[in-house]
Amino acid sequence: MSLVLDQQAQDLLFRSARTANSFTDEPVTDEQVRAIYDLVKYAPTSLNMQPLRVVLVRSAEGRARLVERMGDGNKAKTSTAPLTAILAADTDFHDEFHRTFPHVPNVRDWFTGDDAVRAEVARFNGALQVGYFILGVRAAGLAAGPMTGYDAEGINKDFFPDGAHKVLAVVNIGKPGENAWFDRNPRLDYDDVVTTA
């Protein structure tokens, strides 16, 4: 074996893991979400910037607002999932550099004054963290149902009215329910993807 991670862990995180489309009604606790975050926060981002922000949609009112903004194919599963998380990028991530990158005191200045660059960097690194978050959900023995079919402008308006946060994905979380999986689609092979320069 060329991998250090044991076969069971590999399967849990990758081979056997699937995007869930239905869930049981078993709740997802705050303690589980905290454990997920406390694991995935260590994964790398550029300059340790950590732009990911997470809104756990637990209230009936919040759920109704979110479901209204989801695409038609995502409304039913979002309305019945035990927990839904809105994953967003904080475009003011640079305001936390004094905590996350303290050994370079002027690093915040590198991102001041260019909103477009800051938004692009936040989106890229936030997307990395979305992937880590999904793996963390799997590591907790839960299934994730990540979605990008939604009215992004509406979600940003409803859940991030400050304008500094931009939704990246909406993820349903829980124990997989009946008929939770679609058939697995093929993956590209190593030789399709990897070349040597």
Side-chain angles (χ1 to χ4, degrees):
M1 288 292 294
S2 298
L3 301 176
V4 174
L5 201 62
D6 69 54
Q7 186 78 36
Q8 185 177 3
Q10 293 173 36
D11 290 343
L12 177 70
L13 296 177
F14 295 99
R15 292 190 196 93
S16 299
R18 306 287 294 281
T19 297
N21 292 287
S22 71
F23 298 88
T24 69
D25 58 4
E26 182 178 330
V28 176
T29 67
D30 287 338
E31 291 76 20
Q32 287 172 299
V33 179
R34 181 178 294 277
I36 290 164
Y37 179 73
D38 284 343
L39 174 64
V40 303
K41 70 184 180 184
Y42 293 107
T45 56
S46 302
L47 300 171
N48 197 35
M49 63 182 54
Q50 303 171 51
L52 181 70
R53 301 295 179 265
V54 181
V55 175
L56 302 178
V57 182
R58 291 202 180 274
S59 71
E61 181 269 336
R63 181 76 59 128
R65 282 190 298 142
L66 179 59
V67 167
E68 182 64 28
R69 299 297 190 181
M70 299 304 292
D72 289 342
N74 293 327
K75 288 182 186 291
K77 55 189 169 185
T78 303
S79 68
T80 58
L83 178 63
T84 302
I86 303 171
L87 306 185
D90 181 358
T91 59
D92 287 335
F93 62 86
H94 64 316
D95 289 336
E96 300 297 335
F97 272 140
H98 66 285
R99 295 170 60 198
T100 63
F101 213 68
H103 56 287
V104 181
N106 69 331
V107 67
R108 184 186 184 281
D109 299 340
W110 302 353
F111 294 93
T112 302
D114 195 335
D115 295 347
V117 166
R118 207 167 59 244
E120 181 180 347
V121 169
R123 182 169 184 78
F124 173 78
N125 285 276
L128 285 175
Q129 291 188 284
V130 168
Y132 304 144
F133 185 87
I134 292 167
L135 289 175
V137 169
R138 294 171 174 182
L142 300 169
M147 301 168 288
T148 56
Y150 48 70
D151 170 8
E153 186 176 327
I155 290 177
N156 290 336
K157 178 183 167 196
D158 288 351
F159 291 90
F160 307 111
D162 65 357
H165 300 79
K166 305 297 181 192
V167 63
L168 297 169
V170 176
V171 183
N172 291 323
I173 304 168
K175 293 285 187 180
E178 190 174 342
N179 300 316
W181 323 117
F182 296 144
D183 290 339
R184 187 184 287 284
N185 287 315
R187 299 305 199 260
L188 296 177
D189 292 326
Y190 178 90
D191 291 334
D192 297 319
V193 174
V194 180
T195 57
T196 302

